[in-house]
Amino acid sequence: MHIPDGFIDLPTSAAFAGASALAVAGAVKGARKQLSEQSAPLAGLTAVFIFAVQMLNFPVAAGTSGHLLGAALAAVLIGPYAATLAITIVLILQALLFADGGLSALGLSIFNMSLLAVWFGYGVFLLIKKVMPKKKISISIAAAIAALLSVPAAAAGFVLQYAIGANATFSVSAVLTAMIGTHLLIGIGEALITFFAVGAVLASRSDLVYGYKNESSKLEIRAS
């Protein structure tokens, strides 16, 4: 999912870098309202967790491997604005320290993983949560489904970028089939990790979980 330098042409990379920069700037403003003194440390821990786990790959198929994206997980734990910032920081550090993804392609990767995957995943989470029973386990299940779908959503973002400005000669249909198929499998691992991670935090400090805390607040307002 980390795009190397030169894979997408510079005009396309520059356009997505500009769009990503504007969106991240908006996320900074949103995160200020979203985070509290209690939840801010969890945001830092979430970024560290995602950074660490993204370094661990697991086999998928035909010699390919995948790693945790963390978009839906972060959005559910700390909210989508803070999640966008957390994953953006992780991507920048990975590019600078480990050359994991090219610097010229950083805007492309941020668009796919920090924006598209986070906000698409959080939207799926909200939809699933509405139809589920009002229980903690429902939060974990909704988060897992969101995680499963957020990975191919990010892959679809890459396919769009490839279709606009690819420097390679593979057909868009071939790239679409390969990316979506592989990342659906990666999404299964993502869903399992997200389910257990969200469940663990809910069991110990449910008051800090953004996706659950908002629902609890709404219920309290209705009851009063």
Side-chain angles (χ1 to χ4, degrees), residues 85-163:
L85 297 183
I87 296 179
T88 297
I89 291 170
V90 168
L91 293 176
I92 292 172
L93 289 176
Q94 288 176 335
L96 291 175
L97 300 179
F98 302 103
D100 197 355
L103 291 177
S104 67
L106 191 54
L108 300 167
S109 297
I110 288 173
F111 181 87
N112 295 337
M113 291 185 271
S114 300
L115 299 172
L116 185 57
V118 166
W119 289 93
F120 179 83
Y122 190 67
V124 171
F125 168 76
L126 292 178
L127 289 175
I128 299 298
K129 189 176 72 168
K130 283 185 178 180
V131 301
M132 296 286 288
K134 309 300 181 184
K135 298 179 179 179
K136 288 184 179 180
I137 187 65
S138 299
I139 301 298
S140 297
I141 294 173
I145 296 172
L148 171 64
L149 298 179
S150 68
V151 178
F158 167 75
V159 175
L160 172 64
Q161 295 161 349
Y162 183 89

Side-chain angles (χ1 to χ4, degrees), residues 1-2 51 86 110 171 188 197:
M1 189 70 73
H2 294 79
F51 182 87
I110 288 173
S171 68
I188 295 173

